[in-house]
Amino acid sequence: METITEYKLWSFTNGSPGATVVQRQDYRKAAAYEVASYFDLATKVAELQFHNRDHILLFRGQGGDYRNRAGYSSLKPSLLRGTGHKNPSLDELRKRFARLTAAEKILAEEYLAAGLLGMERMGRHGIVRWAILQHYEVCATPLLDVTHSLRIAASFASHGADREAYVFVLGVPYLSGGITVSAEAGLQTVRLSSVCPPSAVRPHLQEGYLLGEYPEIAGIGQKALYLHHEMDFGRRLVAKFRFDPRTFWKGHSFPIVGRHELYPSDDPLLDLARRVAKKLEQDGG
């Protein structure tokens, strides 16, 4: 994956009232820029988009700013994450990829049995199966969840957070169609509203996107061709912001998106995903 600072990049760094040009990846080591309210965050992001016109901005909300061994903010897909500063072993990665393959097979079977719309697309495209397994928390995949909605990212970050929540801004090449591939950036961007069936309500409501390596890392053999730091979407980081969720949402102009709206209980695909997860555990996956 190409590092975004190969191009001129504007970001927010502490001590600067406005966006400034940054070099290398040093800003990934700095503390996140503090914002007081959603309006404050939105105006800062507007400035970033104005200056970084060669990139589309996508967002990820988290409860913490997790760092790698070198101290850089790290944004890795769940399948490729280790514990602490340690990377997962090859043995552990083999198990995770095997679990993912087993989950894909069960999902396709359950989907066919349910007779839901989109079976042909589900069968043909692994990225669709990964999207559902990822969004319904059945198992880890090599894809990273992001959203086109700043408000949804900030809401995700706020739920379950205490005094600090974080929004990460990532830059991707211009988007075209449901799946955009950039061979130069080594990146693919998946718009979930275009690839997920309508029965999968959750990714549609979350205005979700997925980021993945290109060429796609489909198994442990291909993963072995990459170094761990090359598969870190922190390399696409434009800026990072932190805020106090207790005061960030005060006022009624920009209310937080509730947990039920992000994870609706009447989602038609939720029961199917639970069946897949249960069968995966029973099969020892």
Side-chain angles (χ1 to χ4, degrees), residues 191-254:
R191 185 174 64 206
L192 292 178
S193 62
S194 297
V195 302
C196 282
S199 53
V201 174
R202 185 183 293 185
H204 288 275
L205 292 180
Q206 294 175 2
E207 299 182 47
Y209 282 70
L210 290 171
L211 299 181
E213 290 278 350
Y214 181 80
E216 189 175 282
I217 298 177
I220 186 63
Q222 193 171 3
K223 188 274 160 208
L225 301 176
Y226 294 85
L227 299 174
H228 281 286
H229 75 271
E230 292 180 301
M231 298 177 293
D232 191 334
F233 289 96
R235 292 161 69 93
R236 305 300 303 182
L237 187 68
V238 172
K240 52 183 174 178
F241 298 95
R242 76 178 187 275
F243 59 89
D244 186 339
R246 299 172 300 172
T247 56
F248 182 78
W249 300 101
K250 284 196 172 176
H252 300 288
S253 298
F254 305 101

Short mmCIF file of all heavy atoms in Angstrom, two decimals, residues 191-254:
data_model
loop_
_atom_site.label_atom_id
_atom_site.label_comp_id
_atom_site.label_asym_id
_atom_site.label_seq_id
_atom_site.Cartn_x
_atom_site.Cartn_y
_atom_site.Cartn_z
N ARG A 191 -17.74 0.29 -1.70
CA ARG A 191 -18.93 0.99 -1.22
C ARG A 191 -20.00 -0.05 -0.92
O ARG A 191 -20.52 -0.71 -1.81
CB ARG A 191 -19.43 1.98 -2.27
CG ARG A 191 -20.59 2.84 -1.80
CD ARG A 191 -20.94 3.89 -2.84
NE ARG A 191 -21.41 3.28 -4.07
CZ ARG A 191 -21.32 3.85 -5.27
NH1 ARG A 191 -20.74 5.02 -5.40
NH2 ARG A 191 -21.79 3.25 -6.34
N LEU A 192 -20.32 -0.22 0.35
CA LEU A 192 -21.16 -1.33 0.76
C LEU A 192 -22.59 -1.21 0.25
O LEU A 192 -23.26 -2.22 0.02
CB LEU A 192 -21.16 -1.46 2.29
CG LEU A 192 -19.81 -1.90 2.87
CD1 LEU A 192 -19.87 -1.96 4.39
CD2 LEU A 192 -19.41 -3.25 2.32
N SER A 193 -23.09 0.01 0.06
CA SER A 193 -24.45 0.17 -0.45
C SER A 193 -24.58 -0.37 -1.86
O SER A 193 -25.69 -0.68 -2.32
CB SER A 193 -24.86 1.64 -0.42
OG SER A 193 -24.01 2.42 -1.25
N SER A 194 -23.45 -0.51 -2.57
CA SER A 194 -23.49 -1.02 -3.94
C SER A 194 -23.29 -2.53 -4.01
O SER A 194 -23.76 -3.16 -4.96
CB SER A 194 -22.39 -0.35 -4.78
OG SER A 194 -22.61 1.02 -4.88
N VAL A 195 -22.60 -3.12 -3.03
CA VAL A 195 -22.29 -4.55 -3.14
C VAL A 195 -23.09 -5.41 -2.18
O VAL A 195 -23.27 -6.61 -2.43
CB VAL A 195 -20.78 -4.81 -2.91
CG1 VAL A 195 -19.94 -4.04 -3.90
CG2 VAL A 195 -20.35 -4.49 -1.49
N CYS A 196 -23.60 -4.84 -1.08
CA CYS A 196 -24.37 -5.64 -0.12
C CYS A 196 -25.83 -5.72 -0.53
O CYS A 196 -26.40 -4.73 -1.01
CB CYS A 196 -24.26 -5.05 1.28
SG CYS A 196 -22.72 -5.42 2.11
N PRO A 197 -26.48 -6.87 -0.33
CA PRO A 197 -27.91 -6.99 -0.65
C PRO A 197 -28.74 -6.10 0.26
O PRO A 197 -28.31 -5.75 1.37
CB PRO A 197 -28.19 -8.47 -0.39
CG PRO A 197 -27.14 -8.90 0.57
CD PRO A 197 -25.93 -8.11 0.25
N PRO A 198 -29.94 -5.72 -0.17
CA PRO A 198 -30.79 -4.84 0.65
C PRO A 198 -31.20 -5.44 1.99
O PRO A 198 -31.54 -4.71 2.91
CB PRO A 198 -32.01 -4.59 -0.24
CG PRO A 198 -31.98 -5.67 -1.27
CD PRO A 198 -30.56 -6.03 -1.47
N SER A 199 -31.15 -6.77 2.10
CA SER A 199 -31.48 -7.40 3.38
C SER A 199 -30.42 -7.13 4.44
O SER A 199 -30.68 -7.28 5.65
CB SER A 199 -31.65 -8.91 3.19
OG SER A 199 -30.51 -9.47 2.56
N ALA A 200 -29.23 -6.73 4.03
CA ALA A 200 -28.17 -6.38 4.97
C ALA A 200 -28.32 -4.90 5.33
O ALA A 200 -27.66 -4.03 4.76
CB ALA A 200 -26.80 -6.66 4.37
N VAL A 201 -29.19 -4.61 6.28
CA VAL A 201 -29.55 -3.23 6.59
C VAL A 201 -28.40 -2.47 7.25
O VAL A 201 -28.17 -1.30 6.97
CB VAL A 201 -30.80 -3.20 7.50
CG1 VAL A 201 -31.12 -1.78 7.95
CG2 VAL A 201 -31.99 -3.80 6.77
N ARG A 202 -27.67 -3.15 8.13
CA ARG A 202 -26.65 -2.48 8.94
C ARG A 202 -25.63 -1.70 8.11
O ARG A 202 -25.42 -0.50 8.37
CB ARG A 202 -25.95 -3.50 9.85
CG ARG A 202 -24.96 -2.89 10.81
CD ARG A 202 -24.24 -3.95 11.62
NE ARG A 202 -25.11 -4.64 12.55
CZ ARG A 202 -24.69 -5.54 13.44
NH1 ARG A 202 -23.39 -5.84 13.49
NH2 ARG A 202 -25.53 -6.12 14.26
N PRO A 203 -24.97 -2.30 7.12
CA PRO A 203 -23.97 -1.53 6.36
C PRO A 203 -24.56 -0.37 5.58
O PRO A 203 -23.88 0.64 5.34
CB PRO A 203 -23.33 -2.56 5.43
CG PRO A 203 -24.25 -3.72 5.43
CD PRO A 203 -24.97 -3.71 6.73
N HIS A 204 -25.85 -0.48 5.18
CA HIS A 204 -26.50 0.62 4.47
C HIS A 204 -26.73 1.80 5.42
O HIS A 204 -26.44 2.95 5.07
CB HIS A 204 -27.82 0.15 3.87
CG HIS A 204 -27.67 -0.77 2.70
ND1 HIS A 204 -27.49 -0.32 1.41
CD2 HIS A 204 -27.64 -2.13 2.63
CE1 HIS A 204 -27.37 -1.37 0.59
NE2 HIS A 204 -27.45 -2.47 1.31
N LEU A 205 -27.24 1.52 6.61
CA LEU A 205 -27.50 2.59 7.58
C LEU A 205 -26.20 3.25 8.05
O LEU A 205 -26.18 4.44 8.36
CB LEU A 205 -28.26 2.03 8.79
CG LEU A 205 -29.70 1.58 8.55
CD1 LEU A 205 -30.30 1.05 9.84
CD2 LEU A 205 -30.55 2.72 8.00
N GLN A 206 -25.14 2.48 8.09
CA GLN A 206 -23.86 3.01 8.57
C GLN A 206 -23.09 3.74 7.47
O GLN A 206 -21.99 4.23 7.72
CB GLN A 206 -23.01 1.86 9.13
CG GLN A 206 -23.59 1.24 10.38
CD GLN A 206 -22.80 0.02 10.84
OE1 GLN A 206 -21.78 -0.35 10.25
NE2 GLN A 206 -23.25 -0.62 11.90
N GLU A 207 -23.67 3.80 6.26
CA GLU A 207 -23.00 4.44 5.12
C GLU A 207 -21.57 3.92 5.01
O GLU A 207 -20.60 4.67 4.88
CB GLU A 207 -23.02 5.97 5.26
CG GLU A 207 -24.43 6.54 5.29
CD GLU A 207 -24.45 8.05 5.40
OE1 GLU A 207 -23.70 8.71 4.63
OE2 GLU A 207 -25.21 8.57 6.23
N GLY A 208 -21.48 2.58 5.08
CA GLY A 208 -20.20 1.93 5.23
C GLY A 208 -19.40 1.75 3.95
O GLY A 208 -19.95 1.58 2.85
N TYR A 209 -18.11 1.78 4.12
CA TYR A 209 -17.13 1.42 3.09
C TYR A 209 -16.15 0.44 3.73
O TYR A 209 -16.01 0.38 4.96
CB TYR A 209 -16.35 2.64 2.60
CG TYR A 209 -17.09 3.53 1.64
CD1 TYR A 209 -18.16 4.31 2.06
CD2 TYR A 209 -16.72 3.60 0.29
CE1 TYR A 209 -18.84 5.14 1.17
CE2 TYR A 209 -17.39 4.42 -0.60
CZ TYR A 209 -18.45 5.19 -0.15
OH TYR A 209 -19.12 6.00 -1.04
N LEU A 210 -15.46 -0.31 2.90
CA LEU A 210 -14.38 -1.17 3.36
C LEU A 210 -13.13 -0.85 2.56
O LEU A 210 -13.20 -0.62 1.35
CB LEU A 210 -14.74 -2.65 3.17
CG LEU A 210 -15.84 -3.21 4.08
CD1 LEU A 210 -16.25 -4.61 3.63
CD2 LEU A 210 -15.38 -3.24 5.53
N LEU A 211 -12.00 -0.84 3.25
CA LEU A 211 -10.72 -0.64 2.59
C LEU A 211 -9.94 -1.95 2.62
O LEU A 211 -9.91 -2.64 3.64
CB LEU A 211 -9.90 0.44 3.30
CG LEU A 211 -10.52 1.84 3.36
CD1 LEU A 211 -9.57 2.79 4.08
CD2 LEU A 211 -10.84 2.36 1.97
N GLY A 212 -9.32 -2.27 1.51
CA GLY A 212 -8.53 -3.49 1.43
C GLY A 212 -7.30 -3.28 0.58
O GLY A 212 -7.21 -2.34 -0.22
N GLU A 213 -6.34 -4.17 0.77
CA GLU A 213 -5.14 -4.16 -0.07
C GLU A 213 -5.51 -4.53 -1.51
O GLU A 213 -6.47 -5.26 -1.76
CB GLU A 213 -4.13 -5.18 0.44
CG GLU A 213 -3.48 -4.82 1.75
CD GLU A 213 -2.33 -3.85 1.59
OE1 GLU A 213 -1.93 -3.61 0.44
OE2 GLU A 213 -1.86 -3.33 2.61
N TYR A 214 -4.73 -4.04 -2.44
CA TYR A 214 -4.83 -4.51 -3.82
C TYR A 214 -3.42 -4.78 -4.34
O TYR A 214 -2.56 -3.92 -4.23
CB TYR A 214 -5.52 -3.47 -4.72
CG TYR A 214 -5.64 -3.98 -6.14
CD1 TYR A 214 -6.65 -4.86 -6.49
CD2 TYR A 214 -4.70 -3.61 -7.10
CE1 TYR A 214 -6.74 -5.35 -7.79
CE2 TYR A 214 -4.78 -4.10 -8.39
CZ TYR A 214 -5.81 -4.97 -8.73
OH TYR A 214 -5.89 -5.46 -10.01
N PRO A 215 -3.16 -5.99 -4.86
CA PRO A 215 -4.07 -7.12 -5.00
C PRO A 215 -4.57 -7.65 -3.65
O PRO A 215 -3.88 -7.52 -2.64
CB PRO A 215 -3.22 -8.18 -5.70
CG PRO A 215 -2.10 -7.43 -6.34
CD PRO A 215 -1.83 -6.28 -5.43
N GLU A 216 -5.76 -8.19 -3.69
CA GLU A 216 -6.44 -8.66 -2.49
C GLU A 216 -5.66 -9.77 -1.78
O GLU A 216 -5.13 -10.68 -2.41
CB GLU A 216 -7.81 -9.20 -2.91
CG GLU A 216 -8.76 -9.54 -1.80
CD GLU A 216 -10.10 -9.94 -2.39
OE1 GLU A 216 -10.87 -9.04 -2.78
OE2 GLU A 216 -10.37 -11.15 -2.49
N ILE A 217 -5.57 -9.68 -0.46
CA ILE A 217 -4.89 -10.70 0.33
C ILE A 217 -5.91 -11.79 0.66
O ILE A 217 -6.68 -11.68 1.61
CB ILE A 217 -4.30 -10.11 1.61
CG1 ILE A 217 -3.25 -9.05 1.26
CG2 ILE A 217 -3.66 -11.19 2.48
CD1 ILE A 217 -2.64 -8.36 2.44
N ALA A 218 -5.93 -12.82 -0.16
CA ALA A 218 -6.96 -13.85 -0.03
C ALA A 218 -6.54 -15.02 0.84
O ALA A 218 -7.36 -15.87 1.17
CB ALA A 218 -7.35 -14.35 -1.42
N GLY A 219 -5.27 -15.08 1.22
CA GLY A 219 -4.82 -16.22 2.02
C GLY A 219 -3.47 -15.98 2.62
O GLY A 219 -2.81 -14.98 2.33
N ILE A 220 -3.03 -16.91 3.44
CA ILE A 220 -1.79 -16.75 4.17
C ILE A 220 -0.58 -16.71 3.23
O ILE A 220 0.41 -16.01 3.49
CB ILE A 220 -1.62 -17.88 5.22
CG1 ILE A 220 -0.39 -17.63 6.10
CG2 ILE A 220 -1.57 -19.24 4.55
CD1 ILE A 220 -0.46 -16.39 6.91
N GLY A 221 -0.65 -17.42 2.10
CA GLY A 221 0.46 -17.42 1.16
C GLY A 221 0.72 -16.04 0.59
O GLY A 221 1.86 -15.60 0.48
N GLN A 222 -0.36 -15.33 0.25
CA GLN A 222 -0.20 -13.99 -0.30
C GLN A 222 0.20 -13.00 0.78
O GLN A 222 0.98 -12.08 0.55
CB GLN A 222 -1.50 -13.55 -0.96
CG GLN A 222 -1.33 -12.31 -1.82
CD GLN A 222 -2.56 -12.01 -2.63
OE1 GLN A 222 -3.57 -12.69 -2.53
NE2 GLN A 222 -2.48 -10.98 -3.45
N LYS A 223 -0.33 -13.18 2.00
CA LYS A 223 0.01 -12.29 3.10
C LYS A 223 1.52 -12.33 3.37
O LYS A 223 2.13 -11.32 3.73
CB LYS A 223 -0.77 -12.69 4.35
CG LYS A 223 -0.64 -11.70 5.52
CD LYS A 223 0.59 -12.01 6.35
CE LYS A 223 1.01 -10.83 7.18
NZ LYS A 223 2.45 -10.86 7.44
N ALA A 224 2.13 -13.49 3.20
CA ALA A 224 3.56 -13.65 3.48
C ALA A 224 4.42 -12.78 2.56
O ALA A 224 5.60 -12.55 2.85
CB ALA A 224 3.96 -15.12 3.35
N LEU A 225 3.85 -12.28 1.46
CA LEU A 225 4.60 -11.43 0.54
C LEU A 225 4.68 -9.98 1.02
O LEU A 225 5.39 -9.17 0.43
CB LEU A 225 3.95 -11.46 -0.85
CG LEU A 225 3.85 -12.85 -1.51
CD1 LEU A 225 3.11 -12.75 -2.83
CD2 LEU A 225 5.24 -13.44 -1.72
N TYR A 226 3.92 -9.64 2.08
CA TYR A 226 3.87 -8.27 2.58
C TYR A 226 4.48 -8.19 3.98
O TYR A 226 4.32 -9.10 4.80
CB TYR A 226 2.42 -7.79 2.68
CG TYR A 226 1.71 -7.64 1.36
CD1 TYR A 226 1.09 -8.72 0.74
CD2 TYR A 226 1.63 -6.40 0.72
CE1 TYR A 226 0.43 -8.59 -0.46
CE2 TYR A 226 0.97 -6.26 -0.48
CZ TYR A 226 0.37 -7.36 -1.08
OH TYR A 226 -0.28 -7.22 -2.27
N LEU A 227 5.15 -7.06 4.27
CA LEU A 227 5.57 -6.76 5.62
C LEU A 227 4.38 -6.23 6.41
O LEU A 227 3.44 -5.67 5.82
CB LEU A 227 6.70 -5.73 5.61
CG LEU A 227 7.99 -6.15 4.87
CD1 LEU A 227 8.96 -4.98 4.79
CD2 LEU A 227 8.64 -7.34 5.55
N HIS A 228 4.41 -6.39 7.74
CA HIS A 228 3.26 -5.98 8.55
C HIS A 228 2.94 -4.49 8.39
O HIS A 228 1.77 -4.11 8.30
CB HIS A 228 3.51 -6.30 10.03
CG HIS A 228 3.28 -7.75 10.36
ND1 HIS A 228 2.01 -8.27 10.46
CD2 HIS A 228 4.14 -8.75 10.62
CE1 HIS A 228 2.11 -9.57 10.76
NE2 HIS A 228 3.38 -9.88 10.86
N HIS A 229 3.97 -3.64 8.33
CA HIS A 229 3.69 -2.21 8.26
C HIS A 229 3.10 -1.81 6.91
O HIS A 229 2.46 -0.77 6.79
CB HIS A 229 4.96 -1.39 8.55
CG HIS A 229 5.95 -1.38 7.42
ND1 HIS A 229 6.93 -2.34 7.27
CD2 HIS A 229 6.10 -0.53 6.37
CE1 HIS A 229 7.64 -2.08 6.21
NE2 HIS A 229 7.17 -0.99 5.64
N GLU A 230 3.27 -2.66 5.89
CA GLU A 230 2.71 -2.35 4.57
C GLU A 230 1.20 -2.55 4.54
O GLU A 230 0.53 -2.04 3.63
CB GLU A 230 3.36 -3.24 3.51
CG GLU A 230 4.82 -2.95 3.26
CD GLU A 230 5.41 -3.85 2.20
OE1 GLU A 230 5.39 -5.09 2.37
OE2 GLU A 230 5.89 -3.31 1.19
N MET A 231 0.65 -3.26 5.50
CA MET A 231 -0.78 -3.55 5.52
C MET A 231 -1.49 -2.75 6.60
O MET A 231 -2.53 -3.14 7.11
CB MET A 231 -1.00 -5.05 5.74
CG MET A 231 -0.42 -5.90 4.63
SD MET A 231 -0.62 -7.66 4.94
CE MET A 231 0.46 -7.84 6.35
N ASP A 232 -0.93 -1.61 6.93
CA ASP A 232 -1.47 -0.73 7.96
C ASP A 232 -2.10 0.48 7.28
O ASP A 232 -1.42 1.25 6.60
CB ASP A 232 -0.34 -0.29 8.90
CG ASP A 232 -0.84 0.40 10.15
OD1 ASP A 232 -1.95 0.98 10.09
OD2 ASP A 232 -0.13 0.36 11.17
N PHE A 233 -3.41 0.65 7.46
CA PHE A 233 -4.10 1.77 6.80
C PHE A 233 -3.79 3.10 7.47
O PHE A 233 -4.26 4.14 7.01
CB PHE A 233 -5.60 1.49 6.74
CG PHE A 233 -5.93 0.39 5.77
CD1 PHE A 233 -6.10 -0.91 6.20
CD2 PHE A 233 -6.03 0.65 4.41
CE1 PHE A 233 -6.37 -1.93 5.31
CE2 PHE A 233 -6.29 -0.36 3.51
CZ PHE A 233 -6.46 -1.66 3.95
N GLY A 234 -2.99 3.07 8.53
CA GLY A 234 -2.43 4.31 9.04
C GLY A 234 -1.60 5.02 7.98
O GLY A 234 -1.39 6.23 8.04
N ARG A 235 -1.13 4.27 7.01
CA ARG A 235 -0.37 4.86 5.89
C ARG A 235 -1.23 5.79 5.03
O ARG A 235 -0.72 6.58 4.25
CB ARG A 235 0.23 3.75 5.02
CG ARG A 235 1.33 2.96 5.73
CD ARG A 235 1.58 1.62 5.05
NE ARG A 235 2.19 1.74 3.74
CZ ARG A 235 3.50 1.70 3.49
NH1 ARG A 235 4.35 1.57 4.49
NH2 ARG A 235 3.96 1.78 2.27
N ARG A 236 -2.56 5.67 5.17
CA ARG A 236 -3.48 6.54 4.43
C ARG A 236 -4.08 7.63 5.32
O ARG A 236 -5.03 8.31 4.93
CB ARG A 236 -4.62 5.70 3.82
CG ARG A 236 -4.18 4.57 2.94
CD ARG A 236 -3.37 5.02 1.75
NE ARG A 236 -4.05 5.98 0.90
CZ ARG A 236 -3.54 6.48 -0.21
NH1 ARG A 236 -2.32 6.12 -0.61
NH2 ARG A 236 -4.21 7.36 -0.94
N LEU A 237 -3.53 7.79 6.53
CA LEU A 237 -4.07 8.75 7.48
C LEU A 237 -3.80 10.18 7.04
O LEU A 237 -2.67 10.55 6.73
CB LEU A 237 -3.45 8.50 8.87
CG LEU A 237 -4.03 9.33 10.02
CD1 LEU A 237 -5.46 8.90 10.32
CD2 LEU A 237 -3.17 9.16 11.27
N VAL A 238 -4.86 10.98 7.04
CA VAL A 238 -4.74 12.41 6.73
C VAL A 238 -4.67 13.22 8.03
O VAL A 238 -3.84 14.12 8.17
CB VAL A 238 -5.94 12.88 5.88
CG1 VAL A 238 -5.94 14.40 5.72
CG2 VAL A 238 -5.93 12.19 4.52
N ALA A 239 -5.54 12.89 8.99
CA ALA A 239 -5.56 13.61 10.26
C ALA A 239 -6.28 12.75 11.29
O ALA A 239 -7.01 11.82 10.95
CB ALA A 239 -6.25 14.96 10.11
N LYS A 240 -6.06 13.09 12.57
CA LYS A 240 -6.77 12.41 13.65
C LYS A 240 -7.20 13.45 14.67
O LYS A 240 -6.49 14.40 14.97
CB LYS A 240 -5.88 11.34 14.30
CG LYS A 240 -4.50 11.82 14.74
CD LYS A 240 -3.66 10.69 15.30
CE LYS A 240 -2.24 11.14 15.60
NZ LYS A 240 -1.41 10.07 16.19
N PHE A 241 -8.43 13.26 15.17
CA PHE A 241 -9.02 14.20 16.11
C PHE A 241 -9.48 13.46 17.36
O PHE A 241 -9.91 12.30 17.29
CB PHE A 241 -10.23 14.89 15.47
CG PHE A 241 -9.89 15.71 14.25
CD1 PHE A 241 -10.02 15.17 12.98
CD2 PHE A 241 -9.45 17.02 14.38
CE1 PHE A 241 -9.71 15.92 11.85
CE2 PHE A 241 -9.13 17.77 13.26
CZ PHE A 241 -9.26 17.22 11.99
N ARG A 242 -9.41 14.14 18.49
CA ARG A 242 -9.94 13.57 19.72
C ARG A 242 -10.94 14.55 20.34
O ARG A 242 -10.84 15.76 20.14
CB ARG A 242 -8.84 13.22 20.70
CG ARG A 242 -8.20 14.36 21.44
CD ARG A 242 -7.13 13.85 22.43
NE ARG A 242 -6.61 14.90 23.27
CZ ARG A 242 -5.63 15.73 22.94
NH1 ARG A 242 -5.06 15.61 21.75
NH2 ARG A 242 -5.21 16.66 23.77
N PHE A 243 -11.88 14.02 21.11
CA PHE A 243 -12.89 14.86 21.74
C PHE A 243 -13.45 14.16 22.97
O PHE A 243 -13.28 12.94 23.15
CB PHE A 243 -14.02 15.19 20.75
CG PHE A 243 -14.74 14.00 20.19
CD1 PHE A 243 -15.85 13.46 20.83
CD2 PHE A 243 -14.32 13.42 19.00
CE1 PHE A 243 -16.52 12.36 20.30
CE2 PHE A 243 -14.98 12.32 18.47
CZ PHE A 243 -16.09 11.79 19.12
N ASP A 244 -14.11 14.94 23.80
CA ASP A 244 -14.77 14.43 25.00
C ASP A 244 -16.25 14.21 24.66
O ASP A 244 -16.98 15.18 24.45
CB ASP A 244 -14.63 15.43 26.14
CG ASP A 244 -15.16 14.90 27.47
OD1 ASP A 244 -15.98 13.94 27.44
OD2 ASP A 244 -14.79 15.44 28.52
N PRO A 245 -16.70 12.95 24.56
CA PRO A 245 -18.09 12.71 24.15
C PRO A 245 -19.13 13.26 25.12
O PRO A 245 -20.30 13.40 24.75
CB PRO A 245 -18.16 11.18 24.06
CG PRO A 245 -17.02 10.68 24.84
CD PRO A 245 -15.95 11.72 24.79
N ARG A 246 -18.75 13.60 26.34
CA ARG A 246 -19.69 14.16 27.30
C ARG A 246 -20.12 15.57 26.93
O ARG A 246 -21.23 16.00 27.29
CB ARG A 246 -19.07 14.16 28.71
CG ARG A 246 -18.70 12.77 29.24
CD ARG A 246 -17.91 12.89 30.54
NE ARG A 246 -16.67 13.66 30.33
CZ ARG A 246 -15.86 14.04 31.31
NH1 ARG A 246 -16.14 13.73 32.56
NH2 ARG A 246 -14.76 14.72 31.04
N THR A 247 -19.28 16.30 26.23
CA THR A 247 -19.60 17.68 25.85
C THR A 247 -19.70 17.87 24.34
O THR A 247 -20.28 18.86 23.88
CB THR A 247 -18.51 18.63 26.40
OG1 THR A 247 -17.22 18.19 25.90
CG2 THR A 247 -18.48 18.60 27.92
N PHE A 248 -19.14 16.94 23.58
CA PHE A 248 -19.04 17.06 22.12
C PHE A 248 -20.41 17.22 21.46
O PHE A 248 -20.57 17.97 20.50
CB PHE A 248 -18.33 15.82 21.60
CG PHE A 248 -18.09 15.78 20.11
CD1 PHE A 248 -17.07 16.50 19.55
CD2 PHE A 248 -18.87 14.98 19.29
CE1 PHE A 248 -16.82 16.45 18.18
CE2 PHE A 248 -18.64 14.92 17.93
CZ PHE A 248 -17.61 15.65 17.37
N TRP A 249 -21.43 16.51 21.97
CA TRP A 249 -22.74 16.47 21.33
C TRP A 249 -23.74 17.44 21.95
O TRP A 249 -24.93 17.38 21.62
CB TRP A 249 -23.31 15.05 21.40
CG TRP A 249 -22.47 14.04 20.70
CD1 TRP A 249 -21.60 13.16 21.27
CD2 TRP A 249 -22.40 13.80 19.30
NE1 TRP A 249 -21.00 12.37 20.33
CE2 TRP A 249 -21.47 12.73 19.09
CE3 TRP A 249 -23.04 14.35 18.18
CZ2 TRP A 249 -21.17 12.24 17.84
CZ3 TRP A 249 -22.73 13.86 16.93
CH2 TRP A 249 -21.81 12.81 16.76
N LYS A 250 -23.31 18.30 22.84
CA LYS A 250 -24.25 19.20 23.51
C LYS A 250 -24.91 20.13 22.50
O LYS A 250 -24.28 20.62 21.58
CB LYS A 250 -23.54 20.01 24.60
CG LYS A 250 -23.28 19.17 25.84
CD LYS A 250 -22.94 20.02 27.04
CE LYS A 250 -22.90 19.14 28.29
NZ LYS A 250 -22.48 19.92 29.49
N GLY A 251 -26.21 20.38 22.73
CA GLY A 251 -27.00 21.11 21.75
C GLY A 251 -27.76 20.13 20.88
O GLY A 251 -27.48 18.93 20.86
N HIS A 252 -28.73 20.61 20.13
CA HIS A 252 -29.60 19.71 19.36
C HIS A 252 -29.40 19.81 17.85
O HIS A 252 -30.11 19.19 17.08
CB HIS A 252 -31.07 20.01 19.70
CG HIS A 252 -31.38 19.82 21.15
ND1 HIS A 252 -31.46 18.58 21.74
CD2 HIS A 252 -31.61 20.72 22.13
CE1 HIS A 252 -31.74 18.71 23.02
NE2 HIS A 252 -31.83 20.00 23.29
N SER A 253 -28.43 20.63 17.42
CA SER A 253 -28.23 20.78 15.98
C SER A 253 -27.66 19.52 15.34
O SER A 253 -28.02 19.16 14.23
CB SER A 253 -27.27 21.95 15.71
OG SER A 253 -27.82 23.15 16.18
N PHE A 254 -26.75 18.83 16.06
CA PHE A 254 -26.10 17.64 15.53
C PHE A 254 -26.14 16.54 16.59
O PHE A 254 -25.14 16.26 17.25
CB PHE A 254 -24.65 17.95 15.14
CG PHE A 254 -24.52 19.10 14.19
CD1 PHE A 254 -24.14 20.35 14.64
CD2 PHE A 254 -24.77 18.93 12.84
CE1 PHE A 254 -24.01 21.42 13.78
CE2 PHE A 254 -24.65 19.99 11.95
CZ PHE A 254 -24.27 21.25 12.42
#
